Amino acid sequence: MPIKESLLALSVVVIWGVNFVVIQVALREIPPLLLTFLRFSCVAFPWIFFFKKPQNTSWKLLLAYALSMFVLDFAFLFTGMYVGVSSGIASLTLQTQVFFTAILAVIFLKEKMSLAKIIGAIIAFLGIVFVGLHTGGDVNLIGLLLVECAALSWAIGNLVSKRIGHVDMLGLVVWGSFISLPFLGVLAYCFESHLWHTEMFTHLSFKSIAALAYLAYPVTFFGFGIWSWLLSRYPATTVAPFTLLVPVVGFTSSALLLQEALPLWKLFAAALIVTGLVVNLYADRWFFSRKRV
């Protein structure tokens, strides 16, 4: 990949990595489900009037995409961080969506899971278990389970996206966001309306407003747009490995901007999860290339 495109991919990685710090900042003033609703409201409006519904995509698939990728994924993620998972840990543990995707593909799409992918998944989930053994402080067990539910929801969304096929990604995101709003609105009202008060809406700090704008525009529009453009020009095996850097940026930005501590156990857990991801992505190709030699 040329330097220009590599820099674009790295910019997306940085935006997505810092995203977790921004979520943590916004959650200080806005409850998680309401924050999710507000984020996708900004993504849907006014853009729903400028993007057409993805062609050859049924309403049923759009609904499945919206529920899995937006409603459940981000409701679980934001709530998990709200009840007690730091931004660094969230950026790391959410990457297990890669392995959930592989497992679901085996179950529902009858795809085969190689020995290397199984080993990679085991290594990564050992990292998750290691995180779970260090609950307390900035790791809450319930929050960790909710983030893992977010990873599972993301994996389901990946399978739905595969079923949808090649469409205008920004159009899909805008329409998926629009469809998610009634569900998110009902969830927020049912579970969080007791937290709502007039001052929360009239006295939002600049940080919260900026955080909401960051979640809606750089993270969603720029991130999805550039990522889709890169995937359309280069093989997925060239582009996908850049996501390995997201938890690295997440950990670093959390430490620098939120003074999140980085004890040895966190670094060890991060090493296990990233190693599992690397094995999942590269072990098969490395083995077969060596075999041909």
Side-chain angles (χ1 to χ4, degrees):
M1 187 185 294
I3 293 178
K4 181 180 178 181
E5 279 80 354
S6 296
L7 290 175
L8 280 175
L10 287 173
S11 69
V12 174
V13 166
V14 171
I15 288 171
W16 284 350
V18 175
N19 167 55
F20 293 90
V21 170
V22 175
I23 294 169
Q24 202 87 61
V25 170
L27 288 172
R28 292 173 180 173
E29 292 188 3
I30 308 173
L33 296 175
L34 179 60
L35 177 61
T36 311
F37 175 82
L38 293 175
R39 173 191 180 173
F40 290 113
S41 294
C42 293
V43 174
F45 294 102
W47 312 110
I48 193 70
F49 301 110
F50 299 96
F51 287 89
K52 295 181 179 180
K53 173 183 170 290
Q55 294 182 350
N56 301 321
T57 302
S58 67
W59 287 105
K60 183 178 178 180
L61 282 176
L62 268 178
L63 176 62
Y65 179 82
L67 289 176
S68 57
M69 196 66 86
F70 296 150
V71 177
L72 295 177
D73 183 359
F74 288 98
F76 280 132
L77 174 62
F78 286 12
T79 305
M81 294 179 68
Y82 184 76
V83 301
V85 173
S86 66
S87 53
I89 291 295
S91 70
L92 178 67
T93 55
L94 190 63
Q95 302 310 311
T96 53
Q97 58 88 14
V98 172
F99 306 106
F100 282 128
T101 301
I103 293 169
L104 291 176
V106 170
I107 296 172
F108 294 104
L109 303 181
K110 308 304 179 184
E111 294 185 3
K112 293 183 179 180
M113 195 169 181
S114 66
L115 179 61
K117 292 187 182 297
I118 294 173
I119 293 173
I122 292 172
I123 294 172
F125 277 106
L126 284 175
I128 299 297
V129 171
F130 198 73
V131 172
L133 293 175
H134 290 80
T135 54
D138 57 0
V139 181
N140 175 287
L141 183 57
I142 294 176
L144 183 63
L145 291 174
L146 287 171
V147 173
E148 285 304 296
C149 287
L152 177 58
S153 302
W154 186 356
I156 295 171
N158 287 338
L159 264 63
V160 175
S161 298
K162 188 170 184 178
R163 181 74 179 273
I164 290 174
H166 295 287
V167 296
D168 174 20
M169 181 56 71
L170 288 181
L172 180 62
V173 169
V174 168
W175 278 86
S177 299
F178 175 71
I179 293 171
S180 74
L181 294 181
F183 300 96
L184 290 170
V186 169
L187 286 173
Y189 180 79
C190 290
F191 292 101
E192 294 178 349
S193 59
H194 64 285
L195 299 174
W196 299 355
H197 51 83
T198 304
E199 289 187 355
M200 184 178 72
F201 297 99
T202 59
H203 292 79
L204 277 180
S205 68
F206 174 77
K207 283 185 178 180
S208 293
I209 295 172
L212 184 58
Y214 184 91
L215 294 174
Y217 299 111
V219 171
T220 305
F221 280 104
F222 180 83
F224 274 99
I226 294 298
W227 201 254
S228 300
W229 181 77
L230 290 171
L231 286 171
S232 69
R233 290 174 61 100
Y234 301 100
T237 52
T238 300
V239 180
F242 280 93
T243 59
L244 294 173
L245 298 174
V246 170
V248 176
V249 176
F251 259 60
T252 304
S253 59
S254 297
L256 293 176
L257 301 176
L258 299 178
Q259 285 74 54
E260 180 180 333
L262 289 178
L264 188 60
W265 72 263
K266 280 190 183 180
L267 298 177
F268 182 69
L272 282 175
I273 293 173
V274 173
T275 298
L277 288 168
V278 171
V279 171
N280 179 78
L281 284 171
Y282 292 113
D284 283 331
R285 282 191 290 162
W286 181 83
F287 173 78
F288 284 117
S289 63
R290 294 276 295 182
K291 191 174 181 181
R292 284 194 295 269
V293 173

